[in-house]
Amino acid sequence: DTGVSQDPRHKITKRGQNVTFRCDPISEHNRLYWYRQTLGQGPEFLTYFQNEAQLEKSRLLSDRFSAERPKGSFSTLEIQRTEQGDSAMYLCASSFGLAGGETQYFGPGTRLTVL
Amino acid sequence: LAKTTQPISMDSYEGQEVNITCSHNNIATNDYITWYQQFPSQGPRFIIQGYKTKVTNEVASLFIPADRKSSTLSLPRVSLSDTAVYYCLVGDFNNNAGNMLTFGGGTRLMVKP
């Protein structure tokens, strides 16, 4: 299967701990997005990379959140000093962006529970 | 991005055609209309995208009237496995920059036997 993969699928942590999630996009895709989804709501945009450059960050992405995409391949999203309000599904999507249309393909998500 | 309005929930029965309408009164000239499907504990899955008139693929049809202020996703002969949340999104997906998708609450479709 060559779709978007995310690891881990589930993470339970205690308040104040740091967590890191990984996203492996579809191999030829140059764009990578992170979204967050809470129960009963649609996904909300967090940040976006084109190749290795982080081009957009939502105001939802506080200073405790950091994302990287070294070498324009996989990406990591780190949350420092987790809070209970960080509990959510974290979704990664990738696309091959070019003029003429873009479709984002989503991974299965990482469900974070902060106790 | 243009705001969208769609029904919170819909019920249907197996074998029926389901039509979900989305309103987007402030759609811009360069905006496209895209629909995603999401099952519990999974990421959204792209269904269909269109700009005007009608688009059809192996999964669904998308009807867009001339004024483009609304669109209708049509799912033919639904089955139980079509029970999911369906999101309507509007944006300029045809540009050369990144697209930060803005999801609303979606429509929760329940297909009954």
Side-chain angles (χ1 to χ4, degrees):
Chain A
D1 182 44
T2 57
V4 178
S5 61
Q6 293 187 245
D7 183 71
R9 294 293 308 278
H10 303 274
K11 178 71 176 179
I12 300 174
T13 191
K14 293 182 179 180
R15 185 165 51 95
Q17 297 294 305
N18 299 342
V19 294
T20 300
F21 310 140
R22 175 178 172 127
C23 170
D24 286 274
I26 295 171
S27 60
E28 65 270 22
H29 284 183
N30 60 342
R31 291 180 180 169
L32 188 147
Y33 301 80
W34 285 98
Y35 293 83
R36 179 172 69 186
Q37 185 174 27
T38 54
L39 198 61
Q41 303 297 317
E44 297 173 296
F45 167 77
L46 291 179
T47 190
Y48 145 66
F49 291 85
Q50 177 137 332
N51 300 311
E52 67 277 6
Q54 188 174 17
L55 298 185
E56 287 285 344
K57 289 196 294 185
S58 164
R59 57 180 175 80
L60 294 175
L61 211 66
S62 76
D63 291 344
R64 297 185 296 104
F65 288 70
S66 62
E68 295 182 343
R69 192 184 182 198
K71 302 179 183 178
S73 56
F74 71 93
S75 175
T76 58
L77 177 68
E78 181 183 15
I79 309 174
Q80 296 183 328
R81 306 181 302 282
T82 53
E83 302 173 356
Q84 288 186 325
D86 297 331
S87 295
M89 175 79 85
Y90 289 84
L91 293 161
C92 173
S94 73
S95 70
F96 183 59
L98 77 166
E102 176 193 24
T103 299
Q104 294 184 24
Y105 296 88
F106 283 81
T110 295
R111 181 167 296 284
L112 172 66
T113 301
V114 181
L115 302 176
Chain B
L1 295 176
K3 181 177 178 179
T4 60
T5 302
Q6 50 184 125
I8 294 174
S9 64
M10 293 181 69
D11 288 343
S12 183
Y13 291 92
E14 282 190 291
Q16 289 189 332
E17 178 184 75
V18 171
N19 296 308
I20 306 174
T21 297
C22 178
S23 297
H24 27 80
N25 292 318
N26 297 322
I27 190 168
T29 302
N30 293 334
D31 286 344
Y32 281 67
I33 300 150
T34 304
W35 286 80
Y36 279 82
Q37 174 193 55
Q38 187 175 28
F39 299 113
S41 298
Q42 293 187 27
R45 182 177 76 109
F46 172 86
I47 300 176
I48 198 166
Q49 183 178 90
Y51 182 81
K52 63 180 180 180
T53 62
K54 177 184 175 182
V55 179
T56 297
N57 61 23
E58 64 279 4
V59 176
S61 295
L62 180 59
F63 298 92
I64 307 168
D67 65 4
R68 306 201 324 122
K69 294 184 182 299
S70 67
S71 59
T72 299
L73 174 73
S74 181
L75 305 172
R77 298 179 301 282
V78 294
S79 63
L80 296 177
S81 62
D82 292 315
T83 294
V85 179
Y86 292 82
Y87 294 98
C88 166
L89 293 88
V90 172
D92 185 2
F93 305 120
N94 200 33
N95 62 26
N96 202 26
N99 293 291
M100 289 67 76
L101 299 181
T102 300
F103 290 81
T107 297
R108 298 180 181 279
L109 173 65
M110 174 68 73
V111 179
K112 302 174 182 177

